[in-house]
């Protein structure tokens, strides 16, 4: 039997680092670099997350989606103790403040945790 775990419940994502620099005037652009890292986690041998893109929401604008040419998958247990994986590098965006960043997981079943009791699909409650 396959069980489901939520990202909230297993603590898989510890941090996503967002850097948007620039003056923020009309028509100005900046560079977005987004990296993924994780906090230490016990009782798991693998925490595999597979992403198809990233969505960012400027404070006074519409959300913008950056889809990857192919899904990017990571064993989060390798991204601890100062290790990070690049999701977006040197991506041009409008300069200014951003309300949120959303990481887009691949199709159900492609992100999972393996622990002593087997493999468990990861889900995000918000969809």
């Amino acid at each position: 039997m396959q069980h489901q775990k939520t990202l909230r419940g297993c603590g898989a994502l510890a941090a996503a680092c967002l850097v948007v620099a620039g003056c923020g005037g009309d028509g100005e652009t900046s560079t977005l670099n987004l990296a993924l890292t994780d906090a230490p986690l016990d009782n798991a041998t693998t925490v595999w997350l597979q992403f198809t893109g990233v969505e960012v929401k400027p404070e006074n604008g519409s959300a913008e989606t950056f889809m990857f040419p192919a899904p990017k998958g990571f064993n989060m247990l390798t991204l601890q103790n100062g290790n990070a994986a690049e999701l977006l590098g040197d991506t041009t965006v409008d300069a200014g403040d951003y309300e949120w960043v959303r990481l887009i997981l691949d199709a159900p079943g492609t992100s999972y945790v393996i622990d002593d009791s087997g493999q468990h699909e990861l889900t995000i409650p918000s969809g």
Side-chain angles (χ1 to χ4, degrees), residues 20-31 92-96 98:
V20 179
C23 297
D26 287 338
E28 291 186 43
T29 61
S30 187
T31 302
T92 301
V93 295
D94 291 335
Y98 282 75

Side-chain angles (χ1 to χ4, degrees), residues 98-117:
Y98 282 75
E99 292 181 13
W100 48 259
V101 174
R102 180 175 294 145
L103 306 178
I104 304 169
L105 279 180
D106 202 353
T110 59
S111 295
Y112 53 87
V113 170
I114 298 175
D115 62 16
D116 294 340
S117 65

